[in-house]
């Protein structure tokens, strides 16, 4: 069985990522990209679905781990009765169509017998590769279809029952190195590379990037860790930003709410870029703007809410029936049918992000502006129509209040771009549409009897996305309708002090079961407290939220307050974005 979600840490090279457990097992790795098939899929199955374990042969008495300062280089210290070792794991930024991973075992004290178990299973844990030993016992080559993985080892590797195993002993101050490289199977077997030097190279590159961020304040280190995580989810070449590193980690243990998040949502990418730009990073915004231009292509009418990392449109959803699922949470889904949904809010998020990017110093791009104008022409035709909304419900389209508000944001930011930056556009026409949307939302999306906005027009249900109304400027935070909405959410959607997205018992999302509290929404409540001047409430909730991070500062999508554990895909960009924004907002109040 896989570990608890919070017992994993992330390593990556900005092409893909891997999850390393506290027990020294890499249980999740997709090659060569974030959204490729997994070759280590034990996270969603068993050890026979692929993993790479390096750990003491004797029981581990104590484990501690950390990232090297300002990097994604992971160090895990394991103590046994006979001594202690440090396992250093990282992926090496490598500007080619290959992936490199390094694992170093260094003796800290005494003498520790170690064991290694390496199980390649390509095709999400199903395909057993052909494995051959390289000359001189220096490693192995595993090939299956288009994939070739080469592993170099300082110790002999032996084949046992379609597994690769090794036993070795590490003394104090001794280092045993392992290295992996993936490349297409039609290539020649590559020459080995220097593992220790590669770790230092990865350390230097991450620290160089992190030092560019002028992050200060009480939560600077926490913010930097989140920024590094967001950077790790950004593809180095295409500029695409994935929502999470995993697929099908459940929102309810044993439930069906299991989705593939290894794709580029326009919404999630927009939020991520705003966080990066607020921290001083501009290159990422420019790269994503070019990614957006390529992904949308010739017609704004054909825009999707999500794409593949290079802008692919076909993200067909299917079930991996041979995997038992994380703690038997089925089905295991790959691909995402939400790519075919209509979600009006993405227009507002895109327009707001590109507007903020210009305010932050990104240069004018006429092609980008023309694309935005075309998007608004398209939005004008159907902003009043129902959609599936920010939470991608599968129970049919509805008139979601948040969707309408974000349509308002789209036209508002276009108007601001004309007024502030001199863009050429029909500002007067857009002002009329903006007012029409505002009037409609206030008339049909507000429950006067309870003094709160609602999830959909004419309903009595609430939705945590309403917490964004003041954040995006739809109404000021001291407006009685905003104050009433926040109070209603505190009354109806708080669970053990955290915020649920909405009431899943209504059945409106078309799914069975329930889910945990949604961490990003809880940070949005922090933002509202801050905007209202409720500094103590904001800081109290923020501190309560950051206490839910795992030991290396990572968040999943949700938290199960009953089981006191993280749930949902991991690490989740949405959560780390919300943390960064709330921390910066609170720091500005000091």
């Amino acid at each position: 069985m896989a570990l608890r979600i919070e017992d994993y840490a992330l390593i990556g090279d900005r092409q893909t990522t891997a999850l390393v457990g506290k027990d020294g097992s890499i249980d999740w790795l997709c090659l060569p990209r974030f959204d490729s098939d997994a070759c280590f899929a034990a996270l969603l199955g068993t050890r026979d679905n692929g993993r790479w374990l390096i750990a003491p042969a004797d029981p581990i008495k104590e484990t501690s781990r950390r990232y090297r300062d300002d990097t994604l280089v992971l160090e895990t210290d394991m103590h046994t009765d006979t001594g202690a070792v440090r396992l250093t794991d990282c992926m090496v930024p490598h500007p080619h169509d290959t992936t490199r991973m390094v694992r170093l075992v260094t003796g800290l004290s005494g003498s520790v017998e170690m064991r290694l178990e390496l199980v390649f299973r390509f095709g999400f844990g199903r395909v057993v590769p052909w494995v051959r030993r390289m000359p001189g016992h220096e490693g192995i080559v595993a090939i299956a279809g288009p994939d070739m993985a080469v592993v170099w080892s300082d110790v002999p590797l032996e084949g046992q029952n379609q597994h690769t195993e090794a036993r070795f002993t590490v003394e104090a101050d001794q280092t045993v190195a392992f290295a992996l490289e993936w490349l297409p199977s039609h290539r020649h077997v590559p020459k080995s590379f220097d593992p220790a030097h590669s770790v230092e190279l990865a350390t230097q590159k991450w620290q160089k990037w992190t030092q560019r961020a002028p992050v200060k304040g009480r939560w600077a280190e926490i913010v930097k860790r989140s920024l590094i995580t967001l950077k790790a989810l950004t593809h180095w070449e295409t500029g695409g930003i994935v929502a999470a590193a995993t697929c099908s980690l459940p929102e309810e243990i044993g439930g069906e709410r299991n989705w593939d998040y290894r794709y580029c949502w326009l919404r999630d990418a927009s939020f991520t870029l705003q966080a990066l730009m607020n921290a001083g990073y501009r290159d990422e915004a420019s790269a994503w703007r070019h990614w957006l231009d390529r992904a949308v292509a010739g017609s704004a009418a054909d825009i999707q809410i999500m794409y593949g990392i290079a802008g692919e449109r076909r993200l067909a959803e299917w079930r991996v029936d041979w995997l038992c699922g994380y703690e038997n949470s089925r089905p295991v889904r790959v691909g995402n049918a939400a790519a075919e949904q209509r979600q009006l809010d993405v227009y507002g998020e895109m327009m707001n992000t590109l507007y903020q990017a210009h305010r932050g110093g990104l240069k004018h791009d006429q092609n980008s502006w023309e694309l935005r104008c075309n998007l608004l022409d398209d939005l004008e035709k159907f902003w009043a129509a129902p959609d599936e909304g920010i939470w991608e419900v599968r129970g049919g389209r509805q008139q979601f209040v948040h969707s309408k508000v974000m349509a308002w944001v789209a036209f508002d930011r276009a108007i601001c771009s004309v007024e502030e930056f001199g863009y050429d556009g029909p500002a007067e026409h857009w002002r009329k549409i903006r007012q029409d949307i505002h009037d409609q939302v206030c008339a049909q999306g507000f429950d006067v009897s309870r003094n709160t906005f609602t999830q959909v027009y004419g309903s009595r249900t609430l939705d945590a996305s309403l917490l964004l109304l003041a954040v995006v400027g739809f109404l000021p935070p001291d407006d009685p309708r905003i104050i009433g909405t926040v109070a209603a959410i505190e009354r109806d959607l708080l669970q053990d002090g955290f915020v649920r997205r909405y009431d899943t018992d209504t059945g409106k999302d078309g799914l069975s079961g329930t889910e945990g509290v949604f961490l990003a929404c809880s940070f949005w409540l922090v933002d509202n407290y801050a905007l209202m001047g409720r500094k103590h409430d904001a800081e109290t909730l923020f501190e309560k939220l950051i206490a839910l991070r795992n030991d290396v500062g990572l968040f999943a999508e949700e938290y199960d307050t009953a089981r006191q554990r993280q749930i949902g895909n991991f690490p989740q960009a949405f959560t780390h974005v919300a943390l960064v924004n709330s921390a910066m907002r609170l720091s500005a109040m000091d």
Side-chain angles (χ1 to χ4, degrees):
M1 181 180 291
L3 304 175
R4 290 165 67 101
I5 291 171
E6 55 264 44
D7 287 338
Y8 289 98
L10 182 79
I11 60 173
D13 62 356
R14 299 187 53 231
Q15 297 187 99
T16 189
T17 55
L19 294 188
V20 186
K22 281 185 175 181
D23 61 351
S25 182
I26 297 177
D27 287 348
W28 183 253
L29 173 63
C30 299
L31 292 172
R33 299 197 324 184
F34 300 103
D35 56 355
S36 299
D37 288 7
C39 67
F40 297 152
L43 181 71
L44 301 178
T46 71
R47 59 193 285 269
D48 292 326
N49 296 123
R51 70 165 182 172
W52 186 1
L53 171 73
I54 300 177
D58 294 329
I60 301 171
K61 299 298 185 180
E62 180 184 349
T63 301
S64 62
R65 61 182 179 168
R66 75 214 61 83
Y67 287 110
R68 288 189 181 180
D69 288 347
D70 298 341
T71 76
L72 208 64
V73 177
L74 179 69
E75 298 178 337
T76 305
D77 295 349
M78 302 177 181
H79 298 259
T80 72
D81 286 338
T82 63
V85 296
R86 172 168 297 162
L87 178 61
T88 301
D89 288 301
C90 78
M91 299 179 75
V92 186
H94 188 56
H96 302 290
D97 58 345
T98 67
T99 295
R100 290 180 172 179
M101 179 188 296
V102 173
R103 312 197 76 184
L104 304 179
V105 184
T106 303
L108 299 178
S109 64
S111 176
V112 181
E113 184 182 359
M114 302 291 294
R115 65 189 181 102
L116 176 149
E117 181 185 52
L118 175 57
V119 185
F120 281 113
R121 293 293 184 266
F122 294 96
F124 288 104
R126 190 175 197 179
V127 180
V128 180
W130 170 58
V131 178
R132 64 181 173 87
R133 192 189 309 276
M134 286 191 287
H137 302 284
E138 67 173 358
I140 60 171
V141 179
I143 293 178
D147 299 297
M148 173 165 58
V150 183
V151 175
W152 294 275
S153 169
D154 280 351
V155 299
L157 303 176
E158 300 292 337
Q160 298 286 342
N161 300 319
Q162 297 184 327
H163 294 190
T164 299
E165 299 179 355
R167 288 271 183 158
F168 58 98
T169 300
V170 178
E171 308 289 344
D173 299 323
Q174 178 189 5
T175 295
V176 177
F178 303 89
L180 177 150
E181 183 166 355
W182 177 95
L183 64 165
S185 60
H186 59 270
R187 301 274 185 85
H188 295 296
V189 174
K191 295 180 179 179
S192 62
F193 59 93
D194 185 336
H197 173 73
S198 296
V199 171
E200 295 308 314
L201 179 64
T203 299
Q204 293 169 12
K205 287 192 173 184
W206 279 110
Q207 289 178 341
K208 182 178 179 181
W209 182 83
T210 308
Q211 288 167 3
R212 290 168 44 202
V215 180
K216 299 179 181 179
R218 281 178 284 170
W219 302 287
E221 293 305 313
I222 294 173
V223 169
K224 283 196 291 184
R225 176 51 51 197
S226 288
L227 292 172
I228 291 169
T229 304
L230 296 174
K231 182 67 171 178
L233 298 175
T234 305
H235 193 271
W236 73 274
E237 188 172 24
T238 70
I241 303 171
V242 298
T246 58
C247 69
S248 278
L249 287 180
E251 297 172 12
E252 177 189 24
I253 300 297
E256 69 163 332
R257 298 169 183 262
N258 318 316
W259 315 107
D260 191 347
Y261 279 10
R262 301 169 303 140
Y263 303 112
C264 303
W265 272 257
L266 298 184
R267 173 193 310 108
D268 296 57
S270 298
F271 280 122
T272 298
L273 282 176
Q274 289 180 48
L276 288 169
M277 288 187 298
N278 289 341
Y281 293 102
R282 302 285 180 266
D283 294 344
E284 288 73 13
S286 178
W288 184 76
R289 185 172 68 182
H290 292 307
W291 176 89
L292 178 64
D293 291 344
R294 296 192 305 271
V296 174
S299 174
D302 295 331
I303 192 172
Q304 295 185 177
I305 60 102
M306 58 186 288
Y307 298 87
I309 292 166
E312 297 90 348
R313 290 172 172 264
R314 289 196 298 272
L315 308 178
E317 185 176 303
W318 58 284
R319 298 185 177 193
V320 190
D321 292 331
W322 58 87
L323 291 176
C324 62
Y326 180 85
E327 296 191 18
N328 295 311
S329 302
R330 292 179 173 174
V332 173
R333 292 186 178 92
V334 170
N336 202 307
E340 301 175 5
Q341 289 188 353
R342 171 182 288 173
Q343 298 174 17
L344 297 178
D345 65 291
V346 300
Y347 291 84
E349 277 117 16
M350 283 191 299
M351 293 296 294
N352 184 52
T353 296
L354 294 171
Y355 165 71
Q356 298 294 343
H358 196 137
R359 289 189 66 189
L362 197 65
K363 293 182 179 179
H364 170 74
D365 184 295
Q366 185 59 31
N367 288 334
S368 177
W369 175 246
E370 290 175 2
L371 169 63
R372 280 177 268 176
C373 291
N374 290 334
L375 289 173
L376 291 178
D377 289 342
D378 200 40
L379 181 59
E380 180 180 352
K381 299 172 186 176
F382 55 73
W383 68 262
D387 72 336
E388 279 86 2
I390 183 174
W391 308 129
E392 302 176 354
V393 299
R394 299 198 174 192
R397 293 179 175 177
Q398 302 174 59
Q399 296 283 13
F400 287 103
V401 170
H402 172 262
S403 295
K404 307 303 182 190
V405 169
M406 294 311 297
W408 176 90
V409 169
F411 289 101
D412 179 77
R413 300 314 189 256
I415 295 165
C416 291
S417 296
V418 171
E419 294 174 344
E420 297 177 28
F421 308 130
Y423 283 111
D424 183 23
E428 195 58 40
H429 178 63
W430 289 338
R431 289 189 188 96
K432 181 180 183 306
I433 299 172
R434 179 180 65 178
Q435 190 61 51
D436 289 344
I437 299 173
H438 201 281
D439 292 344
Q440 186 187 95
V441 170
C442 291
Q444 299 185 42
F446 186 75
D447 184 341
V448 177
S449 65
R450 294 190 300 152
N451 190 34
T452 181
F453 285 97
T454 58
Q455 183 181 43
V456 298
Y457 286 175
S459 77
R460 292 182 60 83
T461 57
L462 295 175
D463 191 308
S465 63
L466 299 171
L467 292 169
L468 293 172
L469 268 63
V471 174
V472 300
F474 183 79
L475 287 171
D478 59 354
D479 187 290
R481 291 166 292 185
I482 294 295
I483 295 173
T485 300
V486 171
I489 289 173
E490 289 175 316
R491 182 180 63 248
D492 293 352
L493 291 184
L494 280 188
Q495 179 176 310
D496 298 317
F498 304 107
V499 181
R500 294 180 295 134
R501 289 192 293 183
Y502 51 85
D503 185 358
T504 56
D505 293 337
T506 64
K508 288 186 176 181
D509 62 11
L511 299 165
S512 64
T514 185
E515 63 180 16
V517 296
F518 204 80
L519 296 172
C521 297
S522 300
F523 282 112
W524 294 347
L525 183 57
V526 172
D527 295 336
N528 276 263
Y529 287 157
L531 289 170
M532 293 175 174
R534 296 168 59 179
K535 184 178 179 181
H536 175 74
D537 291 337
E539 291 183 347
T540 300
L541 179 54
F542 185 83
E543 292 288 352
K544 186 175 180 179
L545 280 163
I546 62 176
L548 302 182
R549 296 172 301 141
N550 75 354
D551 56 323
V552 289
L554 300 181
F555 274 115
E557 181 180 30
E558 300 180 8
Y559 188 78
D560 184 330
T561 58
R563 292 183 172 91
Q564 295 186 338
R565 57 182 299 188
Q566 296 193 27
I567 53 176
N569 282 306
F570 174 88
Q572 176 80 2
F574 219 17
T575 309
H576 285 278
V577 166
L579 181 154
V580 171
N581 291 337
S582 293
M584 290 186 171
R585 195 181 301 276
L586 289 175
S587 294
M589 299 178 72
D590 289 341

